[in-house]
Amino acid sequence: SSPVAIVITSEADTWDIDASCLGCGQFVDWDRMPDLEQQAHISRDILSKPSKELKKLAREGYWAGSRALRAQVYHQLIQQVTCRLVTPDALVYKDVASRLFGKLSVSSHPLPEFLEGCSMPTYCLNLEGVTALKKVLICIGSLFPDITYSPILPSLVALLLHYSEDEAQCFENISRLIASNAPHTSYIDQSFLAYQASCMTFGDLANKHCPAAHKLIASTSENVFEVYSEWLSWLFHHLPFNYAIRVFDVYLLEGQKVLYRIALALLKQYRLSVASSELEGTDIKANLQAFVQNIAEHVSVEKLLERAFGIRLFSRKEIWLLQMANRKALMERGITMVQSRQSFHLAVDMQNFSSSIVTAQEMRIVWSWIPERFSLFSPLLLFSTSEDGYSLQRFYTCCEGYEPTVLLIKTTEGEVCGAFLSSDWSERKESGGTSGFFGTGECFVFTVRPETERYEWVFIKKPELAKAVPRSRQRSPSPSPTSLLSSSPDSRGSSSNHLTVPAPQRKGRLSPFLAIRHFLLPSKTASMFMSGSREGIIIGGGGGQALSLDANLLWGHTEHCETFDNPPLCQENFKVQLLEVWGFQNT
């Protein structure tokens, strides 16, 4: 017969337990656990509250004071997760475990292949708990053969074991998270492709929401992505238990989006706590890891979560779209199996890159701003005034068919500025003879010389201003911006311009991330990304244009615009010395 594990607790460690929590804690090494929080008086009707109120209570750490309550809440929340019809439960686990481990010890069974190279945090589990952790993971490998890579699973199972009656309940709960099929919601990445896409998505979000930290990392690391690829390990490996469990509280209610928020808050805190001079010659990846492990020296868990929820991300659907776009880019590169990102991450080649406008180092800075999925591809020169002449028609001919593109301009005064343009210039033809504005919220404008600065879509920093648009709501047609190009500088921005009707989605194309049709915008002039006609091109609109060039690509104008909330990018009226357009080479 199997040995019976007996857990002896002192009177001070006893809990207010009801029948559903008997046995919770049997897997825990109490001598290694941090001090328990003061036991709070918990309302008995807590579990009947609506999900919105539960979310608020979780963020505030309401059930951190009661192990019994936390165990009940975890089990009930996970039982409410919508998942596939046939999902293994506790009874299935007991049957499979008895067959797998009936006569053999756990050590005779290898861990599943999807954990190859992954760490195994134990979060103060005792020997029985570590054995249970391995058994649950082995059974997951047996019952979920489609999982090919999932480094987060050991941490989640270890945390759940703290609040499970037995292995079977822990297995059933983790199985429901694995089998979740709620729309635009994900709990656990289950393939290398999904994991890489989520790392790229975090890199995109860090680029947008933590510009100071991103700049610091980009300036001290050869491969920024290698640093960001650790983002999940920060949360569910390196964070101390009393931080990680609070992250888990909100994760069960809010899914992966909340993990992005907390990791971004860690990155912001890292930038506040570490001086640039301290990082010279150091391994920033290891430095960040050590910072997270010692996070209690820098910020309390309450303050960390408060800062995380102060970061205004876009909707769950928008983040899902970005994740899908990143997955598609990885698939196009053939990156679906476990391999080092170093082997396929293409930064700007310092030796072979050649531009008449920017140095390789300056291009690296610009490259660090572009979305992760495009940094998989090497830069390709599409158009240059030094080779193709000052011809707008030639500009369109050379650039059509490429998406996205980077526009670089050098003025006769030596100033350098430009724009990242998310859409194909051929889209200017899709509104008929009167071309309107097109593009997405991933467009941005920038300066390189004399100062290096980026100006993104105004709603990146204030997404709360743009609500999700109802499906039935359609945009009304807009007049052509051609009048802007033919008007004098004094009359620029004076006409009333609106967004064009979005063009039908191209066959086989994902709905783009940050497409304006996804949002109900308070100002129609705050989303004028790019426009082209026979008279010239415009980038950024509303109260002015960030950049506009005439039909000869010789004279330009720059001023503040509502779309990017930018200052003039160089002298307001300038003459073009050189202009280049770079695309992304899919080879």
Side-chain angles (χ1 to χ4, degrees):
S1 61
S2 302
V4 178
I6 300 174
V7 179
I8 300 173
T9 60
S10 66
E11 186 175 347
D13 287 333
T14 57
W15 314 312
D16 176 18
I17 312 174
D18 64 17
S20 69
C21 197
L22 289 174
C24 290
Q26 64 178 305
F27 302 119
V28 180
D29 182 345
W30 294 104
D31 292 333
R32 294 166 54 210
M33 281 287 287
D35 293 336
L36 292 176
E37 297 184 35
Q38 189 68 34
Q39 297 298 302
H41 174 71
I42 304 299
S43 170
R44 288 286 177 182
D45 67 344
I46 182 72
L47 296 173
S48 63
K49 294 184 181 296
S51 60
K52 189 173 182 180
E53 190 168 343
L54 280 174
K55 188 185 294 187
K56 180 175 180 290
L57 293 173
R59 291 182 177 190
E60 294 171 353
Y62 187 77
W63 41 81
S66 169
R67 287 188 57 86
L69 176 66
R70 191 177 248 150
Q72 285 180 270
V73 169
Y74 281 6
H75 187 64
Q76 177 163 314
L77 289 177
I78 294 172
Q79 289 300 309
Q80 292 172 355
V81 170
T82 59
C83 56
R84 297 193 292 267
L85 187 61
V86 181
T87 300
D89 59 12
L91 290 175
V92 172
Y93 175 80
K94 289 175 181 177
D95 178 57
V96 172
S98 66
R99 284 191 285 108
L100 286 175
F101 312 116
K103 296 180 180 178
L104 300 171
S105 66
V106 174
S107 60
S108 65
H109 289 270
L111 288 171
E113 288 185 10
F114 65 72
L115 294 177
E116 186 178 348
C118 301
S119 58
M120 187 76 69
T122 56
Y123 289 120
C124 306
L125 294 177
N126 56 25
L127 287 176
E128 184 185 354
V130 173
T131 299
L133 169 62
K134 292 178 180 177
K135 287 171 69 176
V136 171
L137 290 170
I138 290 167
C139 286
I140 288 170
S142 175
L143 290 163
F144 291 91
D146 291 341
I147 300 178
T148 56
Y149 190 76
S150 190
I152 194 178
L153 260 176
S155 296
L156 301 185
V157 173
L159 291 172
L160 276 174
L161 279 169
H162 275 256
Y163 300 93
S164 298
E165 295 175 30
D166 53 24
E167 299 164 16
Q169 186 188 63
C170 177
F171 172 84
E172 178 173 320
N173 284 336
I174 197 68
S175 292
R176 294 188 67 84
L177 295 181
I178 291 170
S180 167
N181 59 3
H184 307 142
T185 303
S186 167
Y187 283 101
I188 300 170
D189 293 331
Q190 298 169 41
S191 69
F192 184 72
L193 177 63
Y195 168 76
Q196 287 287 115
S198 71
C199 291
M200 290 170 67
T201 300
F202 178 74
D204 286 325
L205 295 173
N207 195 347
K208 294 182 184 303
H209 295 281
C210 307
H214 179 78
K215 185 176 181 180
L216 177 68
I217 293 169
S219 66
T220 54
S221 174
E222 282 293 311
N223 193 332
V224 177
F225 182 84
E226 288 298 316
V227 177
Y228 290 151
S229 67
E230 293 287 300
W231 79 281
L232 276 173
S233 293
W234 301 342
L235 304 178
F236 289 128
H237 182 199
H238 303 311
L239 273 181
F241 174 83
N242 54 332
Y243 282 70
I245 201 65
R246 288 288 300 276
V247 174
F248 195 72
D249 288 347
V250 290
Y251 164 71
L252 286 182
L253 279 156
E254 304 185 47
Q256 195 175 52
K257 180 180 176 181
V258 79
L259 301 185
Y260 287 129
R261 269 189 166 142
I262 298 168
L264 290 171
L266 282 170
L267 204 55
K268 283 177 175 282
Q269 185 63 43
Y270 177 72
R271 181 64 189 92
L272 290 172
S273 304
V274 179
S276 304
S277 56
E278 295 176 20
L279 295 176
E280 291 180 12
T282 64
D283 180 349
I284 196 165
K285 186 176 171 181
N287 194 277
L288 242 169
Q289 176 182 320
F291 169 81
V292 175
Q293 289 169 339
N294 298 293
I295 189 66
E297 298 175 7
H298 304 279
V299 64
S300 68
V301 65
E302 289 78 17
K303 185 57 86 173
L304 177 68
L305 292 177
E306 180 186 321
R307 288 173 181 169
F309 293 113
I311 298 171
R312 307 296 299 178
L313 294 185
F314 286 99
S315 69
R316 185 179 282 114
K317 180 185 175 183
E318 280 300 308
I319 293 175
W320 179 82
L321 285 171
L322 177 57
Q323 184 119 346
M324 291 303 101
N326 285 333
R327 282 179 67 121
K328 185 179 179 184
L330 286 164
M331 291 173 72
E332 288 174 353
R333 291 283 294 172
I335 300 156
T336 57
M337 304 300 288
V338 178
Q339 56 186 279
S340 169
R341 173 64 185 255
Q342 188 71 38
S343 65
F344 62 82
H345 180 73
L346 291 170
V348 176
D349 188 328
M350 298 292 278
Q351 275 71 44
N352 298 320
F353 176 78
S354 177
S355 164
S356 300
I357 297 178
V358 293
T359 65
Q361 184 58 43
E362 287 171 333
M363 193 60 160
R364 266 196 171 177
I365 294 170
V366 174
W367 219 249
S368 76
W369 290 331
I370 67 176
E372 282 281 351
R373 64 189 183 277
F374 301 120
S375 69
L376 296 173
F377 307 106
S378 53
L380 174 68
L381 184 63
L382 304 178
F383 174 85
S384 169
T385 51
S386 60
E387 295 180 11
D388 301 296
Y390 292 81
S391 163
L392 183 60
Q393 186 53 51
R394 181 71 178 155
F395 170 94
Y396 288 139
T397 301
C398 292
C399 297
E400 285 178 7
Y402 288 89
E403 179 182 286
T405 53
V406 174
L407 172 71
L408 296 173
I409 297 170
K410 182 178 182 180
T411 72
T412 52
E413 299 297 318
E415 296 171 296
V416 175
C417 59
F420 172 80
L421 303 167
S422 65
S423 299
D424 190 331
W425 278 105
S426 65
E427 287 191 28
R428 76 189 192 283
K429 303 172 183 176
E430 293 181 3
S431 296
T434 57
S435 175
F437 281 93
F438 54 99
T440 71
E442 286 193 296
C443 293
F444 60 83
V445 294
F446 57 85
T447 60
V448 176
R449 275 182 246 145
E451 300 293 332
T452 304
E453 195 59 69
R454 170 182 54 161
Y455 303 96
E456 296 187 284
W457 186 30
V458 66
F459 293 109
I460 295 288
K461 292 184 178 177
K462 297 181 180 179
E464 68 276 9
L465 299 179
K467 298 178 181 178
V469 66
R471 289 185 179 182
S472 59
R473 181 79 172 261
Q474 298 293 324
R475 298 283 184 192
S476 56
S478 70
S480 164
T482 303
S483 57
L484 289 173
L485 288 162
S486 57
S487 62
S488 65
D490 292 338
S491 64
R492 287 176 187 272
S494 61
S495 64
S496 175
N497 293 287
H498 303 278
L499 300 171
T500 57
V501 177
Q505 204 55 38
R506 295 180 194 174
K507 190 175 181 181
R509 247 183 115 189
L510 285 169
S511 179
F513 175 60
L514 299 187
I516 54 174
R517 63 174 171 276
H518 299 166
F519 302 94
L520 190 59
L521 302 174
S523 169
K524 293 180 179 180
T525 57
S527 295
M528 296 178 169
F529 301 114
M530 52 193 290
S531 174
S533 68
R534 287 171 295 183
E535 282 76 26
I537 63 173
I538 293 174
I539 298 159
Q545 299 116 50
L547 275 173
S548 60
L549 294 168
D550 67 7
N552 298 315
L553 300 182
L554 197 58
W555 294 97
H557 185 82
T558 177
E559 59 194 334
H560 171 269
C561 77
E562 293 176 18
T563 299
F564 301 116
D565 192 25
N566 59 285
L569 303 177
C570 57
Q571 285 190 6
E572 290 200 14
N573 294 296
F574 61 87
K575 186 176 182 181
V576 175
Q577 179 178 326
L578 290 167
L579 183 149
E580 292 177 349
V581 179
W582 290 82
F584 297 79
Q585 189 169 2
N586 188 0
T587 57

